[in-house]
């Protein structure tokens, strides 16, 4: 089963991206380096609750 999760910028805490992941594939939170429009830079984005 796939769950829809939000990715939030670590610098400004804005939820910029949405992704899907399977519920049993990962136990730790997903972290990806993405572009944040508000910060105007590439920053780390982490999965939120």
């Amino acid at each position: 089963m796939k769950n829809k999760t939000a990715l939030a910028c670590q610098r400004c805490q804005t939820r910029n991206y949405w992704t899907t992941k399977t519920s049993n594939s990962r136990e730790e939170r997903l972290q990806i380096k993405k572009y944040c429009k508000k910060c105007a830079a590439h920053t780390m984005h982490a999965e939120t609750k």
Side-chain angles (χ1 to χ4, degrees), residues 11-22:
R11 193 182 296 175
C12 65
Q13 299 299 320
T14 305
R15 291 182 181 183
N16 298 329
Y17 295 97
W18 292 89
T19 187
T20 57
K21 72 172 199 173
T22 56

Side-chain angles (χ1 to χ4, degrees), residues 1-47:
M1 186 165 126
K2 291 189 177 187
N3 295 331
K4 189 175 180 183
T5 57
L7 297 176
C9 177
Q10 294 291 337
R11 193 182 296 175
C12 65
Q13 299 299 320
T14 305
R15 291 182 181 183
N16 298 329
Y17 295 97
W18 292 89
T19 187
T20 57
K21 72 172 199 173
T22 56
S23 59
N24 59 358
S25 67
R26 298 188 108 157
E27 292 182 12
E28 67 276 356
R29 290 191 179 182
L30 181 67
Q31 288 189 341
I32 302 173
K33 193 169 189 176
K34 292 239 180 223
Y35 183 77
C36 178
K37 292 179 185 178
K38 189 172 181 181
C39 297
H42 284 87
T43 59
M44 289 300 292
H45 284 68
E47 177 185 348

